[in-house]
């Protein structure tokens, strides 16, 4: 499908990774005809193209928004009731929806997964996962009132620092966020931390990237 | 298509706004059959659904990543050569692509629109535009070397504070970022600023939201 020159350009620009990461598409969502995957004119990376109606189907990363809910000296974690990483502990987080803000998405996910109301503080971690087209945005938050397992959680509980189940965390983004929190807590300052999760980081959790 | 109860639930949850903001879809991109737009079982908002193959087509907000390139006392702006807001001034920014990080996206867009290499500092503004399903992320950056108009710019130039074309800026996100910058510059501190652009803010620029 690609010429040698195109393949070399793709590999060198890093865009070859798009080939693995893209959502597979067979038909045009506008006109229903078959699509092909190629580099459009005056573009530098492959897209799904419809020759019948001319639509170029762009695909872009998704935001996973969530919170680090704090209650006194404890933080709230959720045990996942669904794949991936069922049975492992996570912070409440999930895909941001259309028509909401990042902070609304974080609060909504906390409500859905932990039945917990939170007062959001600042954006605390912003973590890129380029190989799976995700951007994590975790807000520091104060837990307001109670909590309970939502439909996607087996269990929701508060943890002291020495109780954190480090070996049973669901995702590297969660470990990074918690490690930053306990390092920052001594100083009482919680600035934004940014980072990138590599396929190797992820492999430690999933067995494969 | 929606029952009264569904319509009331949608309106009260704010999900009604999804109806305007969604990307229209006629056919399933997996199997090519017609899709319908309805609330899936155990969900709370409408999605495009394929009854033939069972695919639920989720749609999510997109990230617009860019930079505020600083050179001494000046900032770099680009005059747009394309719609929307052709002829108006903007910071270099554009849609984040799959397989890249937010900072890579910001640097790439700066290169494409202003032929400018930048050394990225911190994430400076994070601005939600929920009514058009966008999240702006502008990084503060130092301009390294020269610049020139890329294919999407008519002109690229450096501006002192009293030269900023406030009445000819392309988007409210750009105005907010520049106003924060000049307020912060006196203190020499550039912390992350977050905000939300409303349809009314946007109407001042576009004549309509």
């Amino acid at each position: 499908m690609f010429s040698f020159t195109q393949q070399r350009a793709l590999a060198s620009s890093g865009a070859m990774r798009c080939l693995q990461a893209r959502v597979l598409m067979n038909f045009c969502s506008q006109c229903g005809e078959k699509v092909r995957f190629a580099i459009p004119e005056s573009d530098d990376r492959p897209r799904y193209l419809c020759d019948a109606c001319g639509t170029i189907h762009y695909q872009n990363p998704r935001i996973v928004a969530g919170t680090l809910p704090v209650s006194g000296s404890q933080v709230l974690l959720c045990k996942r009731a669904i794949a991936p990483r069922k049975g492992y502990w996570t912070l409440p987080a999930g895909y941001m929806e259309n028509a909401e803000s990042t902070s609304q998405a974080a609060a909504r996910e906390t409500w859905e997964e932990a039945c917990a109301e939170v007062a959001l503080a600042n954006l605390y971690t912003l973590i890129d996962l380029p190989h799976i087209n995700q951007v994590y945005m975790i807000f520091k938050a104060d837990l307001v009132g109670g909590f309970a397992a939502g439909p996607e959680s087996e269990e929701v509980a508060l943890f002291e620092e020495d109780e954190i189940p480090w070996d049973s965390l669901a995702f590297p983004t969660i470990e990074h966020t918690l490690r930053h929190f306990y390092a920052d807590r001594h100083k009482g300052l919680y600035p934004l931390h940014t980072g990138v999760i590599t396929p190797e980081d992820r492999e430690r959790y999933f067995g494969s990237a």
Side-chain angles (χ1 to χ4, degrees), chain A:
Chain A
M1 185 180 286
F2 298 101
S3 71
F4 175 71
T5 314
Q6 279 177 324
Q7 279 184 33
R8 206 173 42 179
L10 276 171
S12 67
S13 72
M16 188 53 106
R17 282 170 297 160
C18 292
L19 301 184
Q20 280 94 50
R22 73 185 192 272
V23 178
L24 294 174
M25 205 174 166
N26 302 307
F27 298 91
C28 175
S29 52
Q30 297 305 299
C31 74
E33 292 300 310
K34 278 232 163 206
V35 288
R36 64 191 174 95
F37 191 67
I39 301 177
E41 215 178 311
S42 53
D43 202 338
D44 65 351
R45 62 196 72 209
R47 321 274 183 187
Y48 284 107
L49 307 175
C50 179
D51 293 323
C53 75
T55 301
I56 302 172
H57 297 277
Y58 295 94
Q59 294 185 357
N60 305 86
R62 291 196 286 182
I63 292 171
V64 178
T67 65
L68 168 64
V70 179
S71 176
S73 61
Q74 299 177 303
V75 300
L76 189 78
L77 296 178
C78 308
K79 195 175 189 177
R80 290 175 61 83
I82 54 167
R85 301 289 282 167
K86 182 176 178 329
Y88 289 84
W89 292 89
T90 189
L91 293 166
Y95 287 123
M96 182 179 175
E97 297 277 5
N98 278 352
E100 67 185 358
S101 68
T102 47
S103 56
Q104 284 171 339
R108 176 185 51 72
E109 285 291 340
T110 307
W111 178 256
E112 288 177 6
E113 298 192 358
C115 306
E117 202 180 315
V118 283
L120 260 65
N122 58 301
L123 178 65
Y124 185 53
T125 52
L126 171 70
I127 304 178
D128 293 299
L129 294 95
H131 62 293
I132 55 166
N133 308 322
Q134 290 181 3
V135 177
Y136 260 69
M137 297 177 64
I138 304 289
F139 291 78
K140 193 169 167 291
D142 290 312
L143 186 62
V144 179
F147 56 85
E152 297 185 1
S153 304
E154 280 178 13
E155 191 184 342
V156 176
L158 287 168
F159 292 82
E160 297 287 352
E161 180 174 1
D162 62 4
E163 298 168 341
I164 296 286
W166 295 106
D167 294 332
S168 306
L169 295 179
F171 308 111
T173 47
I174 307 305
E175 181 183 339
H176 283 240
T177 301
L178 289 170
R179 293 212 185 274
H180 282 303
F181 175 69
Y182 290 117
D184 287 343
R185 196 162 62 160
H186 303 289
K187 292 166 269 176
L189 290 172
Y190 302 95
L192 173 66
H193 296 279
T194 57
V196 178
I197 301 291
T198 63
E200 293 70 34
D201 290 328
R202 208 171 136 82
E203 210 170 322
R204 286 192 296 119
Y205 282 75
F206 283 84
S208 74

